[in-house]
């Protein structure tokens, strides 16, 4: 239910609702269920009469709770007994009946006594008389009223009695706990009710009933002991009254306190605010107050490095380097021995990374073979060590990013980091297959070297042909002029020797340049692959982790607003 009221209670309820939605699946289920119950209860209570104040009388068997209830109301409405529970269901005394019906229906109170005027014996100048006069006076100021509830004993042997008490302890606006001198330190009362409701001390009253059974000198000591126990329960500032339903001692001060609460007409809001604060603190019970480290550049860089290694990118980079060297040898090596390089398979083609090599490329109606959505590499399957490396890198990244958050939220950050575990290997493969590795692309100077190599080879072949013609003519006894020479060396011989020597030397001199170019090509390939993997990591791992950390920050802000820390 959206909370649209912009008052303090509406804002805190809205903040609690936001925290509940953000904490789903990330905080303990019992805390979420409790917060949802508070929201539901608050929604129902706010739709009912906010002008009525509901005061519940709670107590153990024999505490005189019903007798005290009768004394406060001034009428014998509740049946009282000293040793056994006599209140089987809630009983209501109502001042200001208008609008109380739906509220009592929600409280599931069927026994209702509509009263008019102050209790018998009330101080004519007291707050209760003024309240009663206002409620009887009619008009705009008469809106609202007061409802006192006498409830079953919380320690009754009847299970349904305890269920009623537990339910109404979460619904009434003001809680009046009635204890007696014999059982005021009862562990069940303090452990099961007072301690859990300590946050509601602003709407809690405690009455030490039956003080007529104590010697006058002992009353102060018992009150001091009771206050000490209440302080241990977190209720140090709660008003404590000494009263006796038999003698009437302390009844008027108790009436005055109850009437003052009803006059202010804020008890329902105060109670709901306490409920919201309690639920918010339960939601943040595991929150140590730390702020997660978040996603840092160094942490992200280490993740990308690890994924790059685990993806097999190093194998691809080595293949790029080897492919360049192989192609460089084919294009710049001595033409006579180039067939040796052509006999070796290109490592990029072996990995399925040579673009344009697909046999269907020639068919116009076939899909583009370079489309990464349909193209797969032939990289070896990820080894267990590579999978463990990737898993460890993701886990380490999530742990460092969530450091400082509670364990439940750190677990949710880890789940966010691994939210694409099933598709990540294929996506890494697609990043590699779609990367522009410039497979098969050469360098501009290869063409120059290639032309020079072929000129050298042609010179050597021409020289060999010339020498062959001269040899054949001499063998057939033809008269041929001698071959021209340079410095005494025949030109055909110079062409053969120079062509062969130049080609071999050129191949030897360009080999280091090819190796240097291969290293540069491999470096660029690694940079491109790492860039693609970095983009994938940001989309599939970093972004979900960042979103989860932002969610935790919004959750903490909502908790702070709901609990009143700001």
């Amino acid at each position: 239910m959206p909370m649209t009221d912009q008052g303090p209670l509406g804002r805190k309820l809205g903040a609690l609702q936001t925290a509940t939605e953000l904490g789903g699946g990330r905080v303990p289920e019992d805390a979420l269920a409790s917060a949802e119950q508070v929201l539901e209860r608050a929604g129902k209570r706010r739709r009912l009469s906010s002008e009525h104040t509901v005061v519940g009388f709670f107590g153990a068997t024999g505490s005189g709770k019903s007798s005290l209830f009768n004394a406060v109301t001034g009428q014998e409405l509740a049946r009282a007994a000293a040793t056994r529970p006599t209140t089987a269901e809630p009983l209501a005394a109502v001042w200001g009946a208008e609008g109380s019906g739906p509220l009592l229906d929600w409280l599931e109170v069927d026994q209702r006594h509509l009263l008019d005027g102050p209790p018998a014996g009330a101080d004519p100048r007291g707050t209760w008389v003024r309240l009663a006069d206002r409620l009887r006076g009619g008009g705009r100021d008469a809106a609202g009223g007061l409802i006192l509830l006498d409830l079953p004993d919380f320690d009754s042997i009847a299970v349904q009695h305890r269920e009623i008490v537990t339910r109404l302890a979460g619904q009434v606006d003001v809680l009046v706990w009635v204890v007696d001198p014999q059982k005021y330190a009862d562990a069940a009362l303090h452990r099961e009710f007072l301690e859990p409701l300590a946050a509601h001390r602003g709407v809690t009253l405690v009455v030490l009933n039956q003080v007529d059974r104590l010697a006058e000198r002992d009353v102060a000591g018992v009150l001091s002991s009771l206050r000490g126990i209440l302080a241990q329960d977190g209720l140090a500032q709660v008003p404590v009254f000494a009263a006796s339903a038999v003698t009437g001692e302390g009844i008027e001060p108790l009436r005055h306190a109850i009437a003052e609460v009803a006059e202010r007409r804020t008890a329902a809001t105060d109670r709901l605010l306490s409920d919201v604060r309690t639920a918010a603190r339960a939601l943040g019970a595991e929150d140590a107050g730390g702020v997660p480290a978040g996603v840092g550049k160094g942490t992200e860089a280490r993740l990308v490095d690890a994924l790059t290694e685990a993806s097999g990118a190093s194998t691809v980079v080595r293949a790029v380097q080897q492919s360049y060297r192989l192609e460089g040898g084919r294009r710049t090596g001595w033409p006579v021995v180039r067939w040796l390089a052509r006999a070796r398979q290109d490592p990029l083609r072996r990995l399925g990374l040579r673009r344009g090599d697909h046999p269907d490329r020639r068919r116009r109606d076939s899909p583009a073979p370079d489309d990464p959505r349909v193209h797969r590499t032939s990289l070896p399957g990820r080894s267990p060590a590579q999978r463990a490396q990737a898993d460890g890198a993701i886990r380490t990244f999530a742990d460092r990013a969530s450091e400082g958050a509670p364990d439940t939220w750190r677990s949710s950050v880890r789940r966010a980091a691994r939210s694409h575990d099933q598709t990540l290997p294929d996506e890494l493969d697609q990043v590699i297959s779609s990367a522009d590795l410039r497979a098969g692309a050469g360098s501009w100077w290869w063409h120059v070297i290639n032309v020079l190599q072929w000129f050298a080879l042609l010179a050597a072949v021409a020289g060999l042909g010339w020498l062959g013609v001269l040899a054949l003519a001499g063998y057939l006894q033809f008269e041929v002029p001698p071959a021209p020479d340079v410095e005494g060396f025949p030109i055909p011989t110079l062409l053969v020797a120079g062509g062969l020597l130049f080609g071999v030397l050129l191949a030897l001199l360009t080999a280091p340049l090819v190796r240097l170019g291969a290293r540069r090509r491999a470096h660029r390939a690694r940079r491109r692959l790492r860039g693609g993997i970095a983009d994938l990591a940001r989309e599939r791992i970093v972004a979900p982790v960042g979103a989860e950390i932002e969610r935790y920050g919004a959750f903490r802000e909502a908790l702070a607003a709901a609990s009143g820390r700001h």
Side-chain angles (χ1 to χ4, degrees), residues 200-274:
H200 300 74
R201 52 186 171 269
V203 290
T204 299
L205 305 176
V206 177
V207 181
L208 177 64
N209 194 23
Q210 301 176 352
V211 293
D212 57 289
R213 296 185 179 183
L214 294 172
E216 187 175 348
R217 64 179 179 277
D218 295 331
V219 173
V222 174
L223 285 173
S224 176
S225 175
L226 175 58
R227 290 190 176 97
I229 297 173
L230 291 173
Q232 295 174 6
D233 297 334
L235 298 169
Q237 304 301 319
V238 168
V240 179
F241 299 88
S244 171
V246 175
T247 65
E249 179 183 351
I251 299 301
E252 192 59 32
L254 180 58
R255 286 173 177 165
H256 177 77
I258 293 173
E260 274 198 334
V261 171
E263 281 276 284
R264 290 196 299 269
R265 307 185 198 182
T266 60
T269 298
D270 293 342
R271 168 61 198 258
L272 291 177
L273 286 171
S274 298

Side-chain angles (χ1 to χ4, degrees), residues 320-321 324-325 513-523:
V320 169
Q321 184 172 356
Y324 184 94
R325 292 182 61 179
L513 296 178
V514 171
R515 288 194 295 271
L516 176 62
R519 287 195 295 270
R520 295 180 61 186
R521 179 66 58 82
H523 178 73

Side-chain angles (χ1 to χ4, degrees), residues 290-303 392-406 409-417 541-553:
V291 177
V295 178
K297 291 185 177 179
T299 307
E300 182 179 344
R302 286 188 287 271
L303 170 67
I394 294 173
R395 185 173 57 253
T396 300
F397 172 78
D399 287 344
R400 288 177 176 171
S402 62
E403 187 175 358
W409 282 91
R410 298 194 73 180
S411 297
S412 71
V413 171
R414 293 189 195 102
R415 289 194 298 270
I541 301 173
V542 177
V545 166
E548 193 65 20
I549 291 176
E550 288 181 4
R551 184 185 184 114
Y552 173 63

Side-chain angles (χ1 to χ4, degrees), residues 433-448:
S433 67
S434 62
D436 183 10
L437 303 176
R438 299 194 67 194
S443 298
W444 64 269
W445 56 270
W446 287 5
H447 302 288
V448 177

Side-chain angles (χ1 to χ4, degrees), residues 380-438:
R382 306 291 187 268
S383 67
Q386 286 176 314
R387 290 195 294 269
Q389 183 181 18
D391 291 343
I394 294 173
R395 185 173 57 253
T396 300
F397 172 78
D399 287 344
R400 288 177 176 171
S402 62
E403 187 175 358
D407 290 340
T408 52
W409 282 91
R410 298 194 73 180
S411 297
S412 71
V413 171
R414 293 189 195 102
R415 289 194 298 270
R418 303 179 66 89
S419 57
H420 295 88
D421 266 4
Q422 299 301 317
T423 60
L424 189 62
D426 284 341
E427 290 174 328
L428 285 171
D429 195 83
Q430 289 176 8
V431 167
I432 291 175
S433 67
S434 62
D436 183 10
L437 303 176
R438 299 194 67 194

